[in-house]
Amino acid sequence: DPYGPASTGNMKVAVVINDEGYEFKGVEINVGDQIKSNLKANDMIDWQFVSKERAVNGIEAGDYYAGIEIPKGFSKSLTSIMTKNFKQPKITYYANEKKNAIATKITDKVVQTIQTEVNESFVTTVINLVNKLLGTVIEQGKKEGTNEQINKLKRYVIFLIGLFVNSLGVSLITKASLGTSPITSIPYVLSLSFPFTLGNFTIFFSVFLILLQLLILRKNFKLEHVLQIPISIIFGYFIDLTMLLFTWVNPQTYIMKIVYLLIGCLILGFGVYMEVLADVVMLLGESFVRAIVLTWRTNFGTTKICFDVSMAVIAAVLSFVFTGHLNGVREGTIIAALLVGFVARVLGKKLASV
């Protein structure tokens, strides 16, 4: 393998870590340090940790094949996903494409490695942060004797984690390039033709469905339906973040596409199970179906199938209208529609008996 560790292990790549870390809710976070630690244990490339000036000059002089920079505020940008002011984190890549003919491919390998490390570091950060915050609140709650508030907080934390897991599943299914899940198919098709992200269109489409529920339910429209708006916004940002984290996922063979699709379905099914377990608010798709059932007295199962089919059909029509060919709706859409709910139900039965 000309691009394997044996061949690239002696190729020097400059790494600039300027991330100064960030304190979030009393918890110290430094993703830059985590990335640095992970890269030191990675022998795929000869990573050189230097200043920005040394990196730029070294690349120009031909001392390094490429360089990456983790900027100041990187940890703060990553954790902003858990606030209302999300700022997309950015990594700067430098390449000396004149060094030799394979420099571009080496740079691609560096980008893929860094994206993987950022992905792992962020997931670790989120898990550690949630554990610390939850532990702190639980201890405080025990002192104050507020068991009911603790249980409520646990449910909301589980729901938010489930929402993030859902976004991981949706993004991985989408990156498999075999079609996305039914309820995501319309936002995905629109994102291919307009200058908005999949997360943006997910938010727009979710608000549209909530407004339709208002028209359908009228007097029966309740506060729980309004709660779906901020949840949809968070979910949209989660999708954009996980799509960014999965930039390195680009399966070329059909077998690998199927593998990523199935993994995505399993992750999405687990996320749905967590949201149902939390029992905070009904999932948007199911909530829309329930609005139809309550108003016109239809069968829930049949209506849900019709809803999923209609989402896929509308997405297919939009795809032909805007691109002239079918895109975003394929066999993966059918597999996701059948498998995700099955996984959630199986997990519910298995874990309920534990």
Side-chain angles (χ1 to χ4, degrees):
D1 180 3
Y3 308 116
S7 302
T8 62
N10 294 322
M11 294 181 176
K12 294 183 178 181
V13 171
V15 181
V16 181
I17 306 289
N18 285 329
D19 184 23
E20 67 269 38
Y22 183 65
E23 182 177 329
F24 184 80
K25 303 292 185 180
V27 179
E28 289 292 336
I29 297 170
N30 196 312
V31 179
D33 283 348
Q34 290 184 35
I35 294 173
K36 183 176 181 179
S37 177
N38 291 346
L39 289 180
K40 283 185 175 180
N42 185 310
D43 60 357
M44 185 174 293
I45 300 288
D46 185 7
W47 307 102
Q48 300 289 311
F49 299 94
V50 297
S51 65
K52 182 176 180 178
E53 182 181 2
R54 177 71 186 96
V56 173
N57 293 337
I59 292 171
E60 290 180 355
D63 297 335
Y64 307 122
Y65 280 86
I68 64 153
E69 179 186 357
I70 307 297
K72 292 182 179 180
F74 190 76
S75 292
K76 184 177 181 180
S77 296
L78 268 181
T79 54
S80 69
I81 189 64
M82 291 172 276
T83 70
K84 62 180 180 180
N85 298 316
F86 173 59
K87 181 179 179 182
Q88 184 168 305
K90 295 181 180 179
I91 300 176
T92 304
Y93 298 93
Y94 309 93
N96 181 0
E97 297 181 2
K98 296 180 180 180
K99 188 164 177 68
N100 65 23
I102 66 171
T104 301
K105 291 187 177 294
I106 296 301
T107 302
D108 291 342
K109 198 174 191 71
V110 169
V111 171
Q112 179 178 338
T113 302
I114 294 300
Q115 292 288 359
T116 302
E117 298 299 344
V118 171
N119 187 2
E120 293 178 356
S121 297
F122 177 74
V123 172
T124 301
T125 298
V126 170
I127 293 173
N128 290 339
L129 181 61
V130 169
N131 284 339
K132 289 179 181 179
L133 292 177
L134 186 57
T136 301
V137 174
I138 289 176
E139 288 300 319
Q140 184 65 29
K142 285 181 178 178
K143 293 179 181 179
E144 298 175 358
T146 55
N147 290 328
E148 185 177 342
Q149 292 181 4
I150 293 174
N151 290 331
K152 189 173 183 179
L153 175 63
K154 284 182 179 179
R155 286 168 44 219
Y156 275 94
V157 170
I158 291 172
F159 184 83
L160 286 175
I161 295 175
L163 204 63
F164 181 72
V165 172
N166 267 357
S167 69
L168 286 172
V170 168
S171 295
L172 200 54
I173 290 172
T174 304
K175 296 292 289 185
S177 300
L178 292 176
T180 187
S181 59
I183 196 169
T184 317
S185 57
I186 293 177
Y188 179 60
V189 168
L190 292 175
S191 71
L192 297 176
S193 303
F194 295 94
F196 291 97
T197 65
L198 175 57
N200 294 152
F201 272 117
T202 297
I203 295 172
F204 301 154
F205 186 61
S206 298
V207 173
F208 174 70
L209 288 182
I210 293 169
L211 292 176
L212 284 182
Q213 289 182 71
L214 174 61
L215 294 175
I216 293 171
L217 293 171
R218 297 183 182 181
K219 293 182 179 180
N220 292 322
F221 190 82
K222 299 178 180 178
L223 181 61
E224 66 181 73
H225 299 100
V226 179
L227 185 59
Q228 291 173 351
I229 295 177
I231 290 174
S232 299
I233 294 173
I234 295 173
F235 186 52
Y237 281 125
F238 276 170
I239 288 178
D240 279 346
L241 175 63
T242 51
M243 286 293 285
L244 176 67
L245 296 177
F246 283 140
T247 303
W248 56 273
V249 177
N250 186 27
Q252 299 299 313
T253 64
Y254 189 77
I255 293 297
M256 288 307 300
K257 290 181 180 181
I258 289 292
V259 169
Y260 279 114
L261 171 66
L262 294 179
I263 294 174
C265 288
L266 291 174
I267 294 174
L268 183 55
F270 181 65
V272 170
Y273 163 74
M274 292 183 69
E275 291 187 351
V276 172
L277 179 67
D279 192 26
V280 171
V281 64
M282 183 171 275
L283 304 182
L284 183 58
E286 282 67 23
S287 179
F288 183 82
V289 171
R290 187 180 67 168
I292 295 175
V293 170
L294 290 176
T295 304
W296 290 293
R297 306 298 177 184
T298 57
N299 177 268
F300 186 90
T302 303
T303 306
K304 181 65 169 65
I305 293 174
C306 292
F307 174 76
D308 287 342
V309 171
S310 65
M311 293 296 101
V313 170
I314 293 172
V317 171
L318 290 174
S319 179
F320 279 113
V321 169
F322 293 121
T323 66
H325 61 275
L326 186 62
N327 201 349
V329 181
R330 285 183 55 181
E331 60 269 36
T333 305
I334 300 174
I335 294 173
L338 297 175
L339 188 58
V340 171
F342 173 75
V343 170
R345 288 192 296 272
V346 170
L347 285 173
K349 290 179 181 179
K350 292 292 184 182
L351 297 179
S353 59
V354 175

